[in-house]
Amino acid sequence: MRAISILMLVSAVTGSLGDAGTVAAAMLISQGVASPVNGRLADRLSQRRVLLTACLGHAVGMTLLLVAIVLEAPLWLMVVAAVATGCTSVSFTSFMRARWATMAERGALRTAYAMESMLDDTIFLLGPLLVTVLASAVHPAAGLVVCLAMTVAGSVFVALHRRSEPVYEPAPGHVPRRAITVPGVWVLVIAYAGMGFQFGAVDVTMIAFAEERRAPGTAGVLISLIAVGSLVAGVVYGAVGWRLSQARLLSLTTCLLTLGAVPLAFAGSTPLMALCAVGAGIAISPALIAGSTLLESLAPKGSLSEAFSWLTSAGAIGIASGTAAGGHLADLGSSAWAAWAGVGGGLLALVLSLAGQSALRGGKPEAATEPAPEMTALDQ
């Protein structure tokens, strides 16, 4: 919602889609870079402190961004405000998945992640619609104002829910081991980047396909159908008691994800593309659920918020890269070229999930902590 709001507001005020894309990209990239840092701080200091502090900083950054855009400030000033907004944007997906690992019993964790994935799909369906209505019917800035209000309210609400907050007390003289140092986490991070690349390229495929048929309005419908396929599959996947290991389930779901993008390159009509869009979304939620469940079993104790933040950042960077690559390929050739780019991203995730089976089955490291740095006389 936030990125779309920025695009709509900046383009409405300046008349430049290029400037709008620059500001939105600055916010998204800074958010992706800062997310693991915020996750690490949450593991060390508590989610509550990070949520409340980031919430205050985010309110200031968003206010500055709104003022800069409305007053038509220079582009560099808008970008600075967008970076401040992104750096203080907490990855709620990461924080909530870490909380589910605290609240849910081990046997129910996959189902909890399935429900979380279903909620994500619902948000991705309704969020852009809400922003578009607010920006067009109320005021171009209304979407961004609502985003700010919802972020502040959500941050405070989650921060006050102490029962679900992950709590970890390291041994004296030690700090939690960083999640990114675990080989299995690296495998998941790169696999998520590949999946994100496919998601971005597939979205561009739908937009390019609609434009090729001179019906740009159908692009939103086709993209929504992908989310519908993901939503239905998430319900089924979470309800089934799978006997396969999570590592094998990740390979299976990424294989289906890759295969699901292939028909997009051959769809010759809008009804056929609509059917293919549902098929392309079927493996999305199952793949993400399998990855989340695996991560919980791999991340060192006390580093779960950071670990999920790495996945979120990798997915976001993958989506941005897939969108850019798919857009260039669609301009050079056709929507089918963008679809093949999406297949390439899925293949990367599939190869990583197969090659990294031993790392993915490694479980939590025995040494979950690393020595804390010695205090100097100045520190004392």
Side-chain angles (χ1 to χ4, degrees):
M1 290 175 64
R2 192 160 45 231
I4 294 174
S5 296
I6 291 174
L7 285 170
M8 297 187 72
L9 178 57
V10 174
S11 61
V13 172
T14 67
S16 171
L17 278 173
D19 288 352
T22 300
V23 176
M27 189 273 295
L28 289 171
I29 292 173
S30 60
Q31 180 176 341
V33 172
S35 184
V37 178
N38 289 331
R40 178 68 171 173
L41 290 173
D43 289 325
R44 294 285 299 276
L45 304 176
S46 81
Q47 283 194 9
R48 179 174 56 87
R49 292 181 182 178
V50 172
L51 281 167
L52 295 178
T53 304
C55 173
L56 178 61
H58 189 70
V60 173
M62 283 277 276
T63 302
L64 292 175
L65 180 59
L66 272 165
V67 172
I69 297 173
V70 172
L71 296 182
E72 298 186 57
L75 179 61
W76 69 266
L77 192 57
M78 295 186 199
V79 169
V80 169
V83 169
T85 300
C87 287
T88 53
S89 300
V90 169
S91 173
F92 269 94
T93 298
S94 306
F95 279 32
M96 293 306 293
R97 277 170 166 74
R99 285 174 177 257
W100 276 120
T102 299
M103 290 184 65
E105 295 179 359
R106 181 71 184 173
L109 192 56
R110 187 187 69 252
T111 304
Y113 287 150
M115 186 177 72
E116 186 73 19
S117 183
M118 289 162 51
L119 290 171
D120 285 345
D121 288 331
T122 303
I123 291 167
F124 275 99
L125 279 169
L126 300 181
L129 177 62
L130 175 60
V131 166
T132 304
V133 170
L134 288 171
S136 58
V138 181
H139 189 276
L144 211 53
V145 172
V146 170
C147 284
L148 172 57
M150 293 176 72
T151 300
V152 171
S155 298
V156 173
F157 182 83
V158 173
L160 294 178
H161 197 268
R162 303 295 296 275
R163 185 168 64 90
S164 64
E165 184 175 15
V167 178
Y168 173 65
E169 296 293 339
H174 287 72
V175 295
R177 178 178 174 180
R178 298 205 63 179
I180 199 61
T181 63
V182 179
V185 175
W186 264 109
V187 172
L188 285 175
V189 166
I190 301 175
Y192 263 57
M195 285 189 277
F197 189 95
Q198 175 170 327
F199 301 158
V202 167
D203 282 351
V204 171
T205 300
M206 298 306 173
I207 295 171
F209 180 87
E211 290 180 350
E212 288 168 0
R213 277 141 187 82
R214 304 185 188 280
T218 61
V221 176
L222 294 174
I223 292 173
S224 295
L225 287 173
I226 297 175
V228 170
S230 176
L231 179 62
V232 173
V235 175
V236 176
Y237 184 88
V240 174
W242 300 96
R243 295 185 178 181
L244 293 175
S245 67
Q246 292 301 316
R248 287 190 178 277
L249 283 172
L250 180 66
S251 297
L252 177 61
T253 52
T254 52
C255 179
L256 294 175
L257 189 70
T258 305
L259 293 174
V262 173
L264 302 180
F266 300 101
S269 65
T270 299
L272 182 58
M273 179 58 90
L275 183 62
C276 292
V278 175
I282 283 178
I284 292 178
S285 279
L288 297 180
I289 295 166
S292 295
T293 309
L294 265 173
L295 184 68
E296 192 278 333
S297 68
L298 291 168
K301 190 175 181 181
S303 298
L304 200 53
S305 297
E306 177 206 354
F308 277 115
S309 295
W310 276 109
L311 290 195
T312 301
S313 294
I317 292 172
I319 290 173
S321 302
T323 301
H328 285 298
L329 288 171
D331 286 340
L332 291 173
S334 66
S335 61
W337 288 31
W340 286 119
V343 173
L347 279 174
L348 174 62
L350 174 59
V351 169
L352 259 295
S353 69
L354 291 172
Q357 283 289 305
S358 60
L360 293 173
R361 294 178 180 179
K364 291 184 183 295
E366 292 182 6
T369 60
E370 56 190 11
E374 296 182 0
M375 294 181 65
T376 64
L378 182 60
D379 293 328
Q380 294 173 352

